[in-house]
Amino acid sequence: MRFTKNTRILVIDTETTNTHDTSKGADMSDVLVYDCGWAVCDIYGNIYETASYVNRDIFYGEPDLMDSAFYAKKLPQYYDDIAKGSRMVADIWDMRRALLDTIERYNIHYAAAYNARFDANAMNRTIQFVTKSFCRYFFPFASIEWLDIMKMAQDAVVSTRNY
């Protein structure tokens, strides 16, 4: 990983539904994204662009699944945000197109998320679900390296405990 002053990083966050309770806790292996947001930033913390999308295919198209959303109690706020225009509603293809356009415009090679594997898998699982596996991957694997903010934070905390 080599950052320069011109490096742009795509920071992603998703909210999901279809979580299943098990005797061992929540099973999140088959989650579906109803909310995806991102920001393009540099290594100094400057933000160049943000986006916030509500996935029409899941949010409106799968109302029974929305009952299992981790933040189901926040759904009224989503309706308010959509009405105000602070969240855009789009289907999975338009969300993907917007994300790929952002990656291209900023020449992005790094995506970061808190628990990155979860977000990447959730987006992939969602596009597989919606397209009935016609499309299997939401992100272009060859050009994106994932950074896990949770792992980075854990490493930083552990390394500073010796001081």
Side-chain angles (χ1 to χ4, degrees):
M1 185 171 12
R2 184 179 148 122
F3 299 121
T4 68
K5 66 179 183 174
N6 295 323
T7 299
R8 301 295 179 258
I9 301 167
L10 185 72
V11 180
I12 298 171
D13 185 36
T14 63
E15 300 303 339
T16 61
T17 188
N18 207 33
T19 303
H20 308 287
D21 290 326
T22 69
S23 60
K24 296 179 182 179
D27 175 3
M28 297 188 185
S29 62
D30 201 27
V31 295
L32 300 169
V33 173
Y34 67 86
D35 173 13
C36 181
W38 62 82
V40 176
C41 62
D42 62 22
I43 60 174
Y44 305 104
N46 298 310
I47 298 172
Y48 298 91
E49 180 177 309
T50 62
S52 181
Y53 286 91
V54 171
N55 182 358
R56 176 185 300 119
D57 300 309
I58 304 301
F59 192 81
Y60 292 112
E62 300 290 340
D64 292 339
L65 290 180
M66 289 306 297
D67 291 338
S68 69
F70 186 75
Y71 292 113
K73 63 182 177 284
K74 291 186 176 182
L75 294 181
Q77 183 62 48
Y78 278 85
Y79 293 112
D80 290 345
D81 292 348
I82 291 166
K84 287 187 237 168
S86 60
R87 292 184 192 269
M88 297 182 350
V89 177
D91 65 24
I92 195 75
W93 286 115
D94 287 337
M95 289 170 55
R96 184 174 190 263
R97 195 172 300 116
L99 183 102
L100 294 178
D101 177 64
T102 300
I103 289 170
E104 184 178 329
R105 280 186 292 111
Y106 289 97
N107 192 29
I108 291 172
H109 297 284
Y110 300 98
Y114 189 85
N115 194 357
R117 183 186 322 218
F118 173 83
D119 289 294
N121 287 342
M123 294 304 294
N124 288 338
R125 178 65 190 116
T126 304
I127 203 160
Q128 291 166 12
F129 176 83
V130 170
T131 68
K132 299 183 179 14
S133 291
F134 175 76
C135 182
R136 304 217 24 100
Y137 302 105
F138 193 86
F139 294 94
F141 275 95
S143 63
I144 298 293
E145 181 178 339
W146 280 91
L147 309 173
D148 192 326
I149 297 168
M150 178 174 62
K151 176 84 171 103
M152 295 165 80
Q154 289 169 339
D155 291 347
V157 169
V158 170
S159 70
T160 59
R161 285 189 179 162
N162 297 325
Y163 290 104

Tab-separated table of all heavy atoms in Angstrom, residues 92-131:
chain	number	residue	atom	x	y	z
A	92	ILE	N	-30.194	-1.201	-7.803
A	92	ILE	CA	-28.827	-1.680	-7.595
A	92	ILE	C	-27.918	-1.349	-8.775
A	92	ILE	O	-26.743	-1.024	-8.597
A	92	ILE	CB	-28.805	-3.192	-7.269
A	92	ILE	CG1	-27.454	-3.617	-6.693
A	92	ILE	CG2	-29.164	-4.029	-8.482
A	92	ILE	CD1	-27.224	-3.196	-5.284
A	93	TRP	N	-28.468	-1.391	-10.010
A	93	TRP	CA	-27.652	-1.079	-11.187
A	93	TRP	C	-27.224	0.385	-11.191
A	93	TRP	O	-26.069	0.705	-11.511
A	93	TRP	CB	-28.417	-1.397	-12.469
A	93	TRP	CG	-28.525	-2.859	-12.751
A	93	TRP	CD1	-29.668	-3.593	-12.769
A	93	TRP	CD2	-27.468	-3.774	-13.043
A	93	TRP	NE1	-29.377	-4.908	-13.062
A	93	TRP	CE2	-28.044	-5.047	-13.234
A	93	TRP	CE3	-26.096	-3.643	-13.170
A	93	TRP	CZ2	-27.283	-6.181	-13.538
A	93	TRP	CZ3	-25.336	-4.775	-13.465
A	93	TRP	CH2	-25.933	-6.015	-13.645
A	94	ASP	N	-28.156	1.292	-10.863
A	94	ASP	CA	-27.810	2.715	-10.843
A	94	ASP	C	-26.841	3.039	-9.705
A	94	ASP	O	-25.956	3.884	-9.865
A	94	ASP	CB	-29.069	3.575	-10.737
A	94	ASP	CG	-29.855	3.586	-12.036
A	94	ASP	OD1	-29.258	3.316	-13.103
A	94	ASP	OD2	-31.072	3.846	-11.984
A	95	MET	N	-26.998	2.353	-8.568
A	95	MET	CA	-26.039	2.539	-7.475
A	95	MET	C	-24.645	2.094	-7.904
A	95	MET	O	-23.660	2.798	-7.677
A	95	MET	CB	-26.474	1.743	-6.239
A	95	MET	CG	-27.694	2.293	-5.546
A	95	MET	SD	-28.354	1.181	-4.280
A	95	MET	CE	-26.955	0.907	-3.231
A	96	ARG	N	-24.573	0.955	-8.534
A	96	ARG	CA	-23.282	0.428	-8.996
A	96	ARG	C	-22.669	1.347	-10.048
A	96	ARG	O	-21.477	1.646	-10.019
A	96	ARG	CB	-23.463	-0.989	-9.558
A	96	ARG	CG	-22.162	-1.644	-9.961
A	96	ARG	CD	-22.412	-3.101	-10.365
A	96	ARG	NE	-21.170	-3.810	-10.539
A	96	ARG	CZ	-20.574	-3.996	-11.718
A	96	ARG	NH1	-21.115	-3.514	-12.827
A	96	ARG	NH2	-19.441	-4.669	-11.794
A	97	ARG	N	-23.494	1.802	-10.976
A	97	ARG	CA	-23.011	2.709	-12.021
A	97	ARG	C	-22.447	3.990	-11.406
A	97	ARG	O	-21.383	4.469	-11.805
A	97	ARG	CB	-24.152	3.029	-12.991
A	97	ARG	CG	-23.711	3.651	-14.293
A	97	ARG	CD	-24.862	3.773	-15.294
A	97	ARG	NE	-25.427	2.466	-15.625
A	97	ARG	CZ	-26.680	2.083	-15.350
A	97	ARG	NH1	-27.524	2.897	-14.767
A	97	ARG	NH2	-27.104	0.875	-15.683
A	98	ALA	N	-23.143	4.531	-10.413
A	98	ALA	CA	-22.667	5.759	-9.746
A	98	ALA	C	-21.355	5.505	-9.014
A	98	ALA	O	-20.433	6.329	-9.060
A	98	ALA	CB	-23.732	6.266	-8.776
A	99	LEU	N	-21.240	4.369	-8.347
A	99	LEU	CA	-20.018	4.050	-7.632
A	99	LEU	C	-18.853	3.851	-8.600
A	99	LEU	O	-17.761	4.388	-8.386
A	99	LEU	CB	-20.204	2.801	-6.778
A	99	LEU	CG	-18.973	2.473	-5.957
A	99	LEU	CD1	-19.180	2.903	-4.517
A	99	LEU	CD2	-18.661	1.015	-6.034
A	100	LEU	N	-19.084	3.111	-9.680
A	100	LEU	CA	-18.019	2.882	-10.662
A	100	LEU	C	-17.602	4.182	-11.333
A	100	LEU	O	-16.418	4.394	-11.617
A	100	LEU	CB	-18.454	1.840	-11.693
A	100	LEU	CG	-18.674	0.429	-11.157
A	100	LEU	CD1	-19.148	-0.504	-12.270
A	100	LEU	CD2	-17.457	-0.110	-10.459
A	101	ASP	N	-18.555	5.072	-11.567
A	101	ASP	CA	-18.236	6.384	-12.123
A	101	ASP	C	-17.357	7.176	-11.150
A	101	ASP	O	-16.390	7.819	-11.564
A	101	ASP	CB	-19.522	7.157	-12.429
A	101	ASP	CG	-19.241	8.546	-12.941
A	101	ASP	OD1	-18.639	8.679	-14.028
A	101	ASP	OD2	-19.596	9.520	-12.224
A	102	THR	N	-17.675	7.122	-9.877
A	102	THR	CA	-16.873	7.811	-8.866
A	102	THR	C	-15.460	7.241	-8.829
A	102	THR	O	-14.479	7.995	-8.782
A	102	THR	CB	-17.543	7.679	-7.474
A	102	THR	OG1	-18.839	8.265	-7.538
A	102	THR	CG2	-16.726	8.355	-6.395
A	103	ILE	N	-15.350	5.919	-8.869
A	103	ILE	CA	-14.035	5.266	-8.869
A	103	ILE	C	-13.212	5.723	-10.062
A	103	ILE	O	-12.027	6.052	-9.931
A	103	ILE	CB	-14.201	3.728	-8.861
A	103	ILE	CG1	-14.718	3.268	-7.491
A	103	ILE	CG2	-12.908	3.026	-9.228
A	103	ILE	CD1	-15.144	1.814	-7.444
A	104	GLU	N	-13.838	5.803	-11.213
A	104	GLU	CA	-13.118	6.215	-12.429
A	104	GLU	C	-12.724	7.690	-12.385
A	104	GLU	O	-11.590	8.052	-12.698
A	104	GLU	CB	-13.978	5.931	-13.656
A	104	GLU	CG	-13.262	6.242	-14.962
A	104	GLU	CD	-14.112	5.908	-16.174
A	104	GLU	OE1	-14.920	4.975	-16.105
A	104	GLU	OE2	-13.946	6.604	-17.194
A	105	ARG	N	-13.657	8.556	-11.996
A	105	ARG	CA	-13.372	9.997	-11.993
A	105	ARG	C	-12.231	10.371	-11.049
A	105	ARG	O	-11.463	11.282	-11.326
A	105	ARG	CB	-14.618	10.800	-11.619
A	105	ARG	CG	-15.585	10.970	-12.765
A	105	ARG	CD	-16.757	11.884	-12.434
A	105	ARG	NE	-17.640	11.285	-11.429
A	105	ARG	CZ	-17.780	11.734	-10.187
A	105	ARG	NH1	-17.124	12.796	-9.783
A	105	ARG	NH2	-18.617	11.130	-9.344
A	106	TYR	N	-12.136	9.686	-9.925
A	106	TYR	CA	-11.101	10.000	-8.941
A	106	TYR	C	-9.917	9.043	-8.996
A	106	TYR	O	-9.019	9.134	-8.161
A	106	TYR	CB	-11.700	10.004	-7.524
A	106	TYR	CG	-12.595	11.186	-7.286
A	106	TYR	CD1	-13.975	11.079	-7.437
A	106	TYR	CD2	-12.075	12.426	-6.911
A	106	TYR	CE1	-14.811	12.162	-7.209
A	106	TYR	CE2	-12.894	13.512	-6.686
A	106	TYR	CZ	-14.258	13.368	-6.840
A	106	TYR	OH	-15.083	14.454	-6.615
A	107	ASN	N	-9.899	8.138	-9.985
A	107	ASN	CA	-8.815	7.176	-10.133
A	107	ASN	C	-8.546	6.449	-8.810
A	107	ASN	O	-7.416	6.397	-8.321
A	107	ASN	CB	-7.555	7.867	-10.651
A	107	ASN	CG	-6.509	6.880	-11.103
A	107	ASN	OD1	-6.831	5.776	-11.535
A	107	ASN	ND2	-5.247	7.262	-10.979
A	108	ILE	N	-9.591	5.911	-8.236
A	108	ILE	CA	-9.521	5.290	-6.913
A	108	ILE	C	-9.007	3.857	-7.018
A	108	ILE	O	-9.464	3.085	-7.865
A	108	ILE	CB	-10.904	5.330	-6.230
A	108	ILE	CG1	-11.235	6.782	-5.895
A	108	ILE	CG2	-10.948	4.441	-5.001
A	108	ILE	CD1	-12.626	7.012	-5.394
A	109	HIS	N	-8.068	3.532	-6.125
A	109	HIS	CA	-7.530	2.179	-6.040
A	109	HIS	C	-7.725	1.569	-4.655
A	109	HIS	O	-7.375	0.412	-4.432
A	109	HIS	CB	-6.053	2.165	-6.405
A	109	HIS	CG	-5.805	2.586	-7.813
A	109	HIS	ND1	-6.056	1.763	-8.888
A	109	HIS	CD2	-5.378	3.765	-8.333
A	109	HIS	CE1	-5.768	2.404	-10.010
A	109	HIS	NE2	-5.377	3.625	-9.708
A	110	TYR	N	-8.261	2.371	-3.715
A	110	TYR	CA	-8.460	1.904	-2.348
A	110	TYR	C	-9.890	2.183	-1.891
A	110	TYR	O	-10.389	3.292	-2.074
A	110	TYR	CB	-7.500	2.599	-1.376
A	110	TYR	CG	-6.050	2.365	-1.707
A	110	TYR	CD1	-5.330	3.316	-2.415
A	110	TYR	CD2	-5.420	1.189	-1.324
A	110	TYR	CE1	-4.000	3.101	-2.727
A	110	TYR	CE2	-4.094	0.961	-1.636
A	110	TYR	CZ	-3.385	1.925	-2.340
A	110	TYR	OH	-2.074	1.709	-2.653
A	111	ALA	N	-10.511	1.169	-1.304
A	111	ALA	CA	-11.812	1.340	-0.661
A	111	ALA	C	-11.622	0.963	0.800
A	111	ALA	O	-10.915	0.003	1.124
A	111	ALA	CB	-12.860	0.440	-1.308
A	112	ALA	N	-12.252	1.726	1.691
A	112	ALA	CA	-12.120	1.475	3.123
A	112	ALA	C	-13.500	1.408	3.751
A	112	ALA	O	-14.420	2.111	3.338
A	112	ALA	CB	-11.294	2.584	3.775
A	113	ALA	N	-13.607	0.546	4.751
A	113	ALA	CA	-14.860	0.423	5.494
A	113	ALA	C	-14.541	-0.160	6.859
A	113	ALA	O	-13.547	-0.878	7.025
A	113	ALA	CB	-15.849	-0.471	4.760
A	114	TYR	N	-15.376	0.151	7.821
A	114	TYR	CA	-15.263	-0.464	9.129
A	114	TYR	C	-15.859	-1.858	8.998
A	114	TYR	O	-17.047	-2.001	8.725
A	114	TYR	CB	-16.016	0.374	10.174
A	114	TYR	CG	-15.757	-0.074	11.583
A	114	TYR	CD1	-14.638	0.387	12.267
A	114	TYR	CD2	-16.590	-0.968	12.212
A	114	TYR	CE1	-14.371	-0.030	13.558
A	114	TYR	CE2	-16.335	-1.392	13.511
A	114	TYR	CZ	-15.226	-0.924	14.170
A	114	TYR	OH	-14.963	-1.344	15.440
A	115	ASN	N	-15.015	-2.877	9.132
A	115	ASN	CA	-15.363	-4.265	8.840
A	115	ASN	C	-15.595	-4.403	7.334
A	115	ASN	O	-16.694	-4.717	6.864
A	115	ASN	CB	-16.571	-4.746	9.639
A	115	ASN	CG	-16.744	-6.252	9.599
A	115	ASN	OD1	-15.992	-6.949	8.927
A	115	ASN	ND2	-17.745	-6.751	10.298
A	116	ALA	N	-14.549	-4.150	6.582
A	116	ALA	CA	-14.616	-4.078	5.116
A	116	ALA	C	-15.147	-5.352	4.475
A	116	ALA	O	-15.899	-5.282	3.502
A	116	ALA	CB	-13.230	-3.749	4.559
A	117	ARG	N	-14.776	-6.497	5.009
A	117	ARG	CA	-15.244	-7.754	4.420
A	117	ARG	C	-16.771	-7.820	4.457
A	117	ARG	O	-17.406	-8.262	3.507
A	117	ARG	CB	-14.657	-8.942	5.161
A	117	ARG	CG	-15.049	-10.262	4.535
A	117	ARG	CD	-14.588	-11.450	5.334
A	117	ARG	NE	-13.287	-11.264	5.920
A	117	ARG	CZ	-12.377	-12.209	6.029
A	117	ARG	NH1	-12.631	-13.397	5.590
A	117	ARG	NH2	-11.223	-11.965	6.608
A	118	PHE	N	-17.367	-7.356	5.549
A	118	PHE	CA	-18.823	-7.362	5.663
A	118	PHE	C	-19.455	-6.510	4.564
A	118	PHE	O	-20.368	-6.949	3.865
A	118	PHE	CB	-19.256	-6.850	7.041
A	118	PHE	CG	-20.737	-6.685	7.157
A	118	PHE	CD1	-21.548	-7.768	7.458
A	118	PHE	CD2	-21.341	-5.450	6.950
A	118	PHE	CE1	-22.926	-7.626	7.554
A	118	PHE	CE2	-22.711	-5.295	7.039
A	118	PHE	CZ	-23.508	-6.387	7.343
A	119	ASP	N	-18.974	-5.265	4.399
A	119	ASP	CA	-19.567	-4.361	3.406
A	119	ASP	C	-19.377	-4.888	1.988
A	119	ASP	O	-20.311	-4.862	1.187
A	119	ASP	CB	-18.976	-2.958	3.550
A	119	ASP	CG	-19.451	-2.269	4.807
A	119	ASP	OD1	-20.652	-1.980	4.909
A	119	ASP	OD2	-18.631	-2.025	5.706
A	120	ALA	N	-18.189	-5.367	1.669
A	120	ALA	CA	-17.939	-5.901	0.326
A	120	ALA	C	-18.822	-7.111	0.052
A	120	ALA	O	-19.449	-7.208	-1.013
A	120	ALA	CB	-16.464	-6.266	0.169
A	121	ASN	N	-18.898	-8.029	1.012
A	121	ASN	CA	-19.743	-9.211	0.832
A	121	ASN	C	-21.218	-8.842	0.736
A	121	ASN	O	-21.967	-9.433	-0.043
A	121	ASN	CB	-19.523	-10.208	1.976
A	121	ASN	CG	-18.190	-10.917	1.879
A	121	ASN	OD1	-17.553	-10.949	0.838
A	121	ASN	ND2	-17.740	-11.473	2.994
A	122	ALA	N	-21.652	-7.875	1.541
A	122	ALA	CA	-23.057	-7.455	1.518
A	122	ALA	C	-23.429	-6.868	0.148
A	122	ALA	O	-24.502	-7.176	-0.388
A	122	ALA	CB	-23.332	-6.443	2.626
A	123	MET	N	-22.563	-6.048	-0.409
A	123	MET	CA	-22.855	-5.468	-1.720
A	123	MET	C	-22.869	-6.555	-2.803
A	123	MET	O	-23.742	-6.570	-3.667
A	123	MET	CB	-21.845	-4.366	-2.070
A	123	MET	CG	-21.936	-3.145	-1.166
A	123	MET	SD	-23.578	-2.378	-1.105
A	123	MET	CE	-23.724	-1.778	-2.775
A	124	ASN	N	-21.897	-7.472	-2.725
A	124	ASN	CA	-21.874	-8.573	-3.696
A	124	ASN	C	-23.115	-9.447	-3.558
A	124	ASN	O	-23.741	-9.820	-4.551
A	124	ASN	CB	-20.613	-9.413	-3.528
A	124	ASN	CG	-19.370	-8.691	-4.000
A	124	ASN	OD1	-19.440	-7.763	-4.801
A	124	ASN	ND2	-18.238	-9.110	-3.495
A	125	ARG	N	-23.475	-9.782	-2.335
A	125	ARG	CA	-24.660	-10.632	-2.103
A	125	ARG	C	-25.926	-9.946	-2.608
A	125	ARG	O	-26.809	-10.580	-3.163
A	125	ARG	CB	-24.771	-10.965	-0.611
A	125	ARG	CG	-25.968	-11.791	-0.256
A	125	ARG	CD	-25.901	-13.181	-0.900
A	125	ARG	NE	-27.183	-13.844	-0.731
A	125	ARG	CZ	-27.988	-14.186	-1.722
A	125	ARG	NH1	-27.667	-13.947	-2.969
A	125	ARG	NH2	-29.133	-14.778	-1.481
A	126	THR	N	-26.004	-8.633	-2.423
A	126	THR	CA	-27.196	-7.901	-2.852
A	126	THR	C	-27.338	-7.903	-4.366
A	126	THR	O	-28.434	-8.152	-4.888
A	126	THR	CB	-27.167	-6.455	-2.314
A	126	THR	OG1	-27.036	-6.505	-0.893
A	126	THR	CG2	-28.425	-5.698	-2.691
A	127	ILE	N	-26.250	-7.652	-5.078
A	127	ILE	CA	-26.364	-7.645	-6.546
A	127	ILE	C	-26.647	-9.053	-7.060
A	127	ILE	O	-27.379	-9.230	-8.038
A	127	ILE	CB	-25.147	-6.991	-7.234
A	127	ILE	CG1	-25.564	-6.500	-8.621
A	127	ILE	CG2	-23.935	-7.895	-7.279
A	127	ILE	CD1	-24.679	-5.446	-9.216
A	128	GLN	N	-26.132	-10.078	-6.404
A	128	GLN	CA	-26.450	-11.458	-6.789
A	128	GLN	C	-27.935	-11.740	-6.573
A	128	GLN	O	-28.593	-12.332	-7.426
A	128	GLN	CB	-25.619	-12.450	-5.967
A	128	GLN	CG	-24.154	-12.441	-6.299
A	128	GLN	CD	-23.319	-13.159	-5.253
A	128	GLN	OE1	-23.837	-13.858	-4.392
A	128	GLN	NE2	-22.010	-12.971	-5.330
A	129	PHE	N	-28.463	-11.300	-5.432
A	129	PHE	CA	-29.872	-11.523	-5.103
A	129	PHE	C	-30.788	-10.809	-6.098
A	129	PHE	O	-31.710	-11.406	-6.649
A	129	PHE	CB	-30.146	-11.030	-3.680
A	129	PHE	CG	-31.580	-11.108	-3.259
A	129	PHE	CD1	-32.113	-12.293	-2.782
A	129	PHE	CD2	-32.406	-9.981	-3.319
A	129	PHE	CE1	-33.447	-12.365	-2.383
A	129	PHE	CE2	-33.733	-10.043	-2.926
A	129	PHE	CZ	-34.251	-11.249	-2.458
A	130	VAL	N	-30.517	-9.546	-6.331
A	130	VAL	CA	-31.390	-8.740	-7.189
A	130	VAL	C	-31.328	-9.216	-8.644
A	130	VAL	O	-32.349	-9.264	-9.324
A	130	VAL	CB	-31.031	-7.238	-7.078
A	130	VAL	CG1	-31.762	-6.420	-8.127
A	130	VAL	CG2	-31.346	-6.726	-5.673
A	131	THR	N	-30.136	-9.579	-9.115
A	131	THR	CA	-29.987	-9.975	-10.519
A	131	THR	C	-30.118	-11.486	-10.723
A	131	THR	O	-29.897	-11.972	-11.826
A	131	THR	CB	-28.628	-9.514	-11.083
A	131	THR	OG1	-27.578	-10.258	-10.450
A	131	THR	CG2	-28.428	-8.023	-10.914
